[in-house]
Structure formats: C-alpha cells, structure tokens
Amino acid sequence: AARALAATGWRLEELDLGYNIRLGAAGLAALAAAPTFAPWRLNLVDCNLDVAALLTIAHAPWPLEDLDLAYNDFSEDVAGPALAALSRHVGLRRLRLECSELAPADFREFVEAGFPALEELDLSRNNVGAAGAALLASRPWLRLRELDLCDSQLGDAGVAALARGEFPALERLNLRSNRCRTPLTLEEARRWAPALVVLHL
C-alpha cells in the first residue's frame, strides 16, 4: 500500500499515517523514495517505527515543519544518533515524542543536537527525570513556545533544574503528573520563562 501511494505522482504536502502499525521502516522507506512527495506535516503516531525509520525521515529531502512520532517505542535500539539526525530538518517547528520510551543516553543526544527552529516540543510520558530536565535547561530554547512534560517523572528536583534554563519565548508549559510536592505558581515560573501565560500543574 505504501509503494502504491508513492507511485501516484501526487505532490503531497501533508500526510497523516497515524495508527498504521504495519507501516514500519519498510513502508516509510517506500514513501521516502517518492520523488513528488514534499510533506511539511507528517503524522506517524503509533506506526511501529524503529531507528531505521528515524534515519529515513532524517535523510528524506522533505521540508518538514511538523512531525508527530508519538507512541513509537524507541527503547529497544540505540535511538540517540537517529533522533539527533532529525535536526537536519532545519525548519522543524513542531515535534511530538510522547510516550516514546526514550533512554537517558538517547535523550541526551537528541537535546544536544539542537533544533534551532523548534517552537513546540512534546516529551510527555517519557522518563525525563531531574537529569533530563537539567539537560533541557543546559541550552537555550530561544523560539520554543510550548513545552509538554506531563508525566515525565520530574519531581521537585526536575522542576528546579528546569528553572535554571533559558526559555524567553515559552508561552505554554505542561507539568501535570510529575509528583511535585511544592506547588509552582505562574509568577514563579515567569522568573525563568517571562512570556509564560499558561501553566498546567
């Protein structure tokens, strides 16, 4: 089916393949070989993707701005270099990695790769923890407007680590279900995210 879609000759700019668990890396490779496809928005939620699929996306000559990879389990492979390779898409503005089971080492490579155009980042339901929050805070996110860290095992230490970061454009922050004992107010968060208008706790 993926090969048939690739052979249509359509100039697709938006492609939603979410919840096609049989797509996998082979199906995605067939789509990437289509000379006419130029998606800027790509939905691949729960498509049974692996590291090979990530590399296919990274190297595809697509003008990606919006990429949804939620609910693909990347815990079985060393996914860090492949996640970092996504930074080849210099115009990527929205990236969703919800419930991707990222290992700490993979998460580090992803963050350190740098995504200069990123405006929305969803890392919810990953074990980010305090160490991951500190890693996020170790580099500036100058254009990031939305950050979702719901159910990411931050705890008070993780929120404190996040507060040492530079988030000048951040407007929406989701910190729900992170086992925080000390409530964080919007005014407190604005000390390190001055543009923040929505805070979910």
Side-chain angles (χ1 to χ4, degrees), residues 14-44:
E14 299 184 48
L15 185 56
D16 186 342
L17 293 168
Y19 306 101
N20 282 281
I21 60 173
R22 295 176 63 189
L23 179 68
L28 192 58
L31 296 173
T36 56
F37 283 8
W40 65 269
R41 176 180 290 163
L42 186 58
N43 182 351
L44 296 169

Side-chain angles (χ1 to χ4, degrees), residues 182-192 196 199 201:
T182 305
L184 177 71
T185 68
L186 184 60
E187 289 304 318
E188 288 171 332
R190 280 181 176 151
R191 294 174 187 171
W192 45 277
L196 199 67
L199 174 63
L201 295 172

Side-chain angles (χ1 to χ4, degrees), residues 50-71:
D50 57 12
V51 167
L54 287 176
L55 289 173
T56 295
I57 298 168
H59 294 284
W62 294 335
L64 283 178
E65 296 181 17
D66 187 332
L67 178 60
D68 197 333
L69 295 171
Y71 292 93

Side-chain angles (χ1 to χ4, degrees), residues 82-107:
L83 286 166
L86 293 175
S87 64
R88 292 171 178 264
H89 294 287
V90 295
L92 193 62
R93 295 186 298 107
R94 180 181 184 271
L95 179 59
R96 186 177 177 219
L97 288 166
E98 178 183 1
C99 201
S100 295
E101 304 293 339
L102 301 180
D106 296 334
F107 184 69

